[in-house]
Amino acid sequence: MRNSFITEGIVLSRTDFGESDRVLTVITSDSGKLRIIAKGVRKPKSKLAGGIELLSVNSLTVLPGRGELDTLISSRLITSFCNIIGDLDRTMTSYNLLKRMNKATEDAVDGEYFQVLRGALQGLDKTEVPINLTELWFNVHFLSVSGHLPNIRRDIDGHMLEPSNNYSFDFEHMAFREERKGTFNANHIKLLRLAYIAEYPQKLCQVTDINTYIDKVLQLSANLVRLNHQV
């Protein structure tokens, strides 16, 4: 007999199925990425609906299926990122992160991806945190857990990155290259490092003059995500 299990999850996508069911793709804290059918969830009195909303963390009780779909037995809302919904830009950014996470991850993905997505949604939910800081934090941590974070300590020749030098970025070698008129200086690289060690996006709000450097660093991180994950 199959045994049900309980996990925490974030819904990445939802598709209506049949007259009242819905198929969910969920990234979880300890069970990889699941495809789950929520039977009858579109009925007005469904007890499942409140625990499978987008932009929330939920406790899910799941019965493993014999085919591609598991079955949702019960659900309970843990955290709702309700401040995101009140801001169109934050909502659209959140949906974009969900799509990127869904496209770039396999079924056997580990819990670190769940933690990265939850951290990004927490950042977007805090209206005092600029959206671009959360995007940078997400990109850097997504690159880190997927094993594609560039070398942020040494240049392409293995030398320590120096505060007095300018650098370009070599995408083939995933490292900075010293260049007299390079795009990146010590402050850009420092911001990249801080994004990597920051536990949450809001920590980046403490960086002095961050608006001077954020655009180039964010663009670099976005290009690296697209290069390595085609998203």
Side-chain angles (χ1 to χ4, degrees):
M1 182 176 179
R2 293 170 294 162
N3 294 320
S4 62
F5 62 92
I6 300 174
T7 188
E8 289 186 16
I10 299 172
V11 176
L12 300 177
S13 68
R14 306 183 301 184
T15 304
D16 289 345
F17 183 78
E19 294 185 1
S20 60
D21 302 340
R22 184 168 281 158
V23 175
L24 316 171
T25 300
V26 182
I27 191 164
T28 70
S29 59
D30 57 7
S31 301
K33 192 165 71 172
L34 306 176
R35 294 188 74 235
I36 305 170
I37 186 166
K39 295 183 177 179
V41 72
R42 290 154 54 206
K43 293 180 179 178
K45 295 184 179 181
S46 172
K47 295 181 179 180
L48 297 176
I52 55 171
E53 292 298 322
L54 294 175
L55 307 183
S56 62
V57 179
N58 307 284
S59 175
L60 308 172
T61 302
V62 179
L63 181 66
R66 292 189 175 89
E68 295 183 356
L69 293 179
D70 300 324
T71 300
L72 184 64
I73 298 175
S74 66
S75 61
R76 176 177 57 86
L77 176 67
I78 296 175
T79 304
S80 176
F81 302 110
C82 53
N83 290 330
I84 294 176
I85 302 299
D87 185 299
L88 180 59
D89 289 336
R90 290 176 185 274
T91 300
M92 296 307 296
T93 300
S94 298
Y95 287 159
N96 182 46
L97 296 188
L98 297 181
K99 291 178 182 177
R100 286 163 60 185
M101 183 66 76
N102 193 15
K103 183 176 180 180
T105 52
E106 303 293 335
D107 290 346
V109 66
D110 63 42
E112 288 184 303
Y113 288 86
F114 170 86
Q115 301 295 342
V116 169
L117 182 57
R118 182 173 64 178
L121 294 177
Q122 287 173 339
L124 289 168
D125 195 52
K126 294 185 180 298
T127 55
E128 70 274 16
V129 180
I131 293 174
N132 58 2
L133 296 193
T134 297
E135 289 184 296
L136 172 61
W137 184 91
F138 174 86
N139 288 345
V140 170
H141 284 262
F142 187 73
L143 289 167
S144 176
V145 300
S146 63
H148 293 106
L149 186 72
N151 195 328
I152 54 178
R153 295 293 174 185
R154 296 182 180 273
D155 67 17
I156 192 172
D157 297 314
H159 302 137
M160 294 295 293
L161 297 173
E162 296 292 340
S164 58
N165 293 343
N166 288 338
Y167 296 91
S168 60
F169 190 82
D170 189 308
F171 286 91
E172 181 179 356
H173 295 90
M174 292 290 286
F176 290 94
R177 180 192 300 274
E178 184 180 349
E179 187 175 307
R180 187 169 63 86
K181 295 184 178 180
T183 301
F184 304 100
N185 60 31
N187 289 311
H188 296 106
I189 295 170
K190 180 181 178 181
L191 178 55
L192 193 59
R193 291 172 179 167
L194 289 172
Y196 170 64
I197 65 175
E199 186 177 4
Y200 300 108
Q202 48 269 37
K203 293 286 187 179
L204 296 178
C205 292
Q206 302 171 10
V207 180
T208 305
D209 296 329
I210 194 170
N211 289 332
T212 308
Y213 313 108
I214 180 66
D215 289 345
K216 290 181 180 179
V217 180
L218 177 59
Q219 185 62 56
L220 174 61
S221 69
N223 288 339
L224 287 168
V225 170
R226 281 193 290 269
L227 174 66
N228 290 289
H229 297 284
Q230 289 78 52
V231 294

